[in-house]
Amino acid sequence: MNQVVTEKKRIYLSSPHMSGNESKYINEAFHTNWIAPLGPNVDEFEKELASYVGTRDAAALSSGTAAIHLALLLLGVEKGDTVFCSSLTFVASANPILYQGAEPVFIDSEPDTWNMSPQALERALSDAKKSNRIPKAVIVVNLYGQSAKMDEIINICDQYQVPIIEDAAESLGSSYKGNKSGTLGYFGVYSFNGNKIITTSGGGALVSNDEESLKKARFLATQARDPALHYQHSTVGFNYRMSNILAGIGRAQLEVLDDRVAARRAVFSKYEEALRSHEAIAFMPELEQTTSNRWLTTLTVKFEKKMKIIDNLNRQNIESRPVWKPLHLQPVFKGCTYYPHKENICVSSDLFYIGLCLPSGSNLSNEDQDFVISKIKEVL
């Protein structure tokens, strides 16, 4: 692919968007000398996040990956176990399975949401029961802000008594039939990485209605220090807690989350209005009775045109990229079991081949978006 040859400012897929109120909480941390990990901002951020999404508790952590890892630990996942996971997702959804020495089994997407296929999940669980290898958990990813078909997935998992970890790293602020994304599984996971809909620079959270489990999550995330005068540790712990300063950023970001969702949905609507007349393009669907935060605007277009669009945008210093490469195709997971949506129909692989992500930040200006659209139209 050709290198960028212009001096134009970079238009990113999803850049951080500060509210202006972050300094209030950061300065408060400095003035009170709460610089070390934990502190009042962490406590309040956890309460405010739990209140926003509607769970009983939330644990602020160093990353969404850490949250998935702790969820697996709390569900008793260990060496030799299996965990089912969406295939069309970022590698962080599945890496913690390997941390525990467990074996991932990857489940294909379906066309209506691009998320986990209930049909493939049903076949996988049926096979698992026959071989007496029921998974310890199912990790369901809500891709690019769109919720999976959670009713169907929950019903299937309930039949086999398998708990769900809802990876909502990309879908904070989205909703499914009146419930906030990330609250439908036993555990929910959020990411506050710099490119997410709100950010704490780096960070994540684990949410649940099981308050005792989240109490244990905090214990494990703080090096599993026993309640003793001296430093005593009876189990392996982790350095997974969010700092008080970063939690302050999160508090200010959470205040404007609904505004950020509205802005990203407006970006999506403008792309759709400008490009929907082109027969070659189809946008990521939005399931009925759901609201996607449209974290990234994604669409499908023939592979050759996709690569030409990426190249043309890159020449103008505009960031774009294919959708996630399915995990069952990643070298690190070579040999892992994979269940396609239907026999000879692999939806996630097809989406990787023709799927494209466009600049979608809530701070994307109308002028910059018009420029991006014009460069796409040059190819179309």
Side-chain angles (χ1 to χ4, degrees), residues 13-14 111-115 142-147 169-175 181 195-198 257-273 282-288 290-300 356-364 369:
L13 273 175
S14 179
D112 296 338
T113 65
W114 296 14
N115 288 314
N142 297 325
L143 196 70
Y144 300 124
Q146 171 59 51
S147 294
E170 301 173 2
S171 61
L172 178 61
S174 301
S175 63
S181 182
N195 65 352
K196 293 301 186 291
I197 194 158
I198 63 170
L257 174 54
D258 288 339
D259 294 336
R260 300 296 185 253
V261 172
R264 298 221 182 204
R265 288 182 63 82
V267 167
F268 172 85
S269 295
K270 185 169 183 173
Y271 278 127
E272 186 181 40
E273 177 69 25
F283 287 88
M284 183 181 189
E286 185 172 59
L287 198 64
E288 286 187 13
T290 72
T291 300
S292 170
N293 67 12
R294 294 296 185 186
W295 171 58
L296 291 184
T297 292
T298 55
L299 54 83
T300 56
L356 175 64
C357 304
L358 299 178
S360 310
S362 51
N363 52 0
L364 180 67
Q369 190 173 6

Side-chain angles (χ1 to χ4, degrees), residues 107-126 140 148-157 160 176 287 339-342:
I107 310 298
D108 196 12
S109 301
E110 48 77 26
D112 296 338
T113 65
W114 296 14
N115 288 314
M116 183 176 283
S117 163
Q119 294 97 313
L121 177 63
E122 173 65 53
R123 293 200 315 277
L125 283 169
S126 176
V140 179
K149 292 182 174 179
M150 291 304 296
D151 280 353
E152 293 92 326
I153 290 169
I154 289 169
N155 287 337
I156 294 167
C157 288
Y160 293 89
Y176 177 88
L287 198 64
Y339 282 85
H341 175 55
K342 294 180 181 178

Side-chain angles (χ1 to χ4, degrees), residues 124-146:
L125 283 169
S126 176
D127 287 352
K129 185 175 181 180
K130 292 173 185 174
S131 62
N132 199 29
R133 290 205 71 193
I134 293 292
K136 282 287 187 71
V138 172
I139 300 174
V140 179
V141 179
N142 297 325
L143 196 70
Y144 300 124
Q146 171 59 51

Side-chain angles (χ1 to χ4, degrees), residues 129-320:
K129 185 175 181 180
K130 292 173 185 174
S131 62
N132 199 29
R133 290 205 71 193
I134 293 292
K136 282 287 187 71
V138 172
I139 300 174
V140 179
V141 179
N142 297 325
L143 196 70
Y144 300 124
Q146 171 59 51
S147 294
K149 292 182 174 179
M150 291 304 296
D151 280 353
E152 293 92 326
I153 290 169
I154 289 169
N155 287 337
I156 294 167
C157 288
D158 283 349
Q159 291 175 34
Y160 293 89
Q161 297 183 316
V162 180
I164 293 172
I165 299 169
E166 193 180 358
D167 182 349
E170 301 173 2
S171 61
L172 178 61
S174 301
S175 63
Y176 177 88
K177 298 185 178 180
N179 297 299
K180 291 294 186 184
S181 182
T183 66
L184 294 149
Y186 195 88
F187 290 110
V189 171
Y190 301 115
S191 170
F192 307 117
N193 193 27
N195 65 352
K196 293 301 186 291
I197 194 158
I198 63 170
T199 184
T200 59
S201 174
L206 185 66
V207 299
S208 180
N209 289 321
D210 185 343
E211 295 172 274
E212 282 302 310
S213 285
L214 286 201
K215 183 179 178 181
K216 186 174 181 181
R218 292 188 186 91
F219 166 73
L220 292 170
T222 320
Q223 299 290 16
R225 181 184 176 185
D226 293 336
L229 179 63
H230 52 279
Y231 281 86
Q232 178 168 300
H233 308 270
S234 304
T235 189
V236 174
F238 306 89
N239 187 16
Y240 279 171
R241 285 294 255 152
M242 182 181 288
S243 80
N244 194 55
I245 292 175
L246 297 191
I249 298 173
R251 293 184 69 188
Q253 289 275 287
L254 193 59
E255 292 170 352
V256 295
L257 174 54
D258 288 339
D259 294 336
R260 300 296 185 253
V261 172
R264 298 221 182 204
R265 288 182 63 82
V267 167
F268 172 85
S269 295
K270 185 169 183 173
Y271 278 127
E272 186 181 40
E273 177 69 25
L275 300 172
R276 66 185 176 191
S277 61
H278 293 271
E279 293 181 0
I281 281 182
F283 287 88
M284 183 181 189
E286 185 172 59
L287 198 64
E288 286 187 13
Q289 295 182 277
T290 72
T291 300
S292 170
N293 67 12
R294 294 296 185 186
W295 171 58
L296 291 184
T297 292
T298 55
L299 54 83
T300 56
V301 63
K302 288 183 179 180
F303 177 78
E304 295 78 10
K305 284 191 181 294
K306 181 185 81 169
M307 299 311 296
K308 288 179 181 179
I309 290 171
I310 291 173
D311 185 50
N312 201 37
L313 294 179
N314 188 55
R315 288 171 178 269
Q316 301 299 327
N317 214 7
I318 299 168
E319 184 181 15
S320 64

Side-chain angles (χ1 to χ4, degrees), residues 30 283 338:
F30 275 100
F283 287 88
Y338 165 70

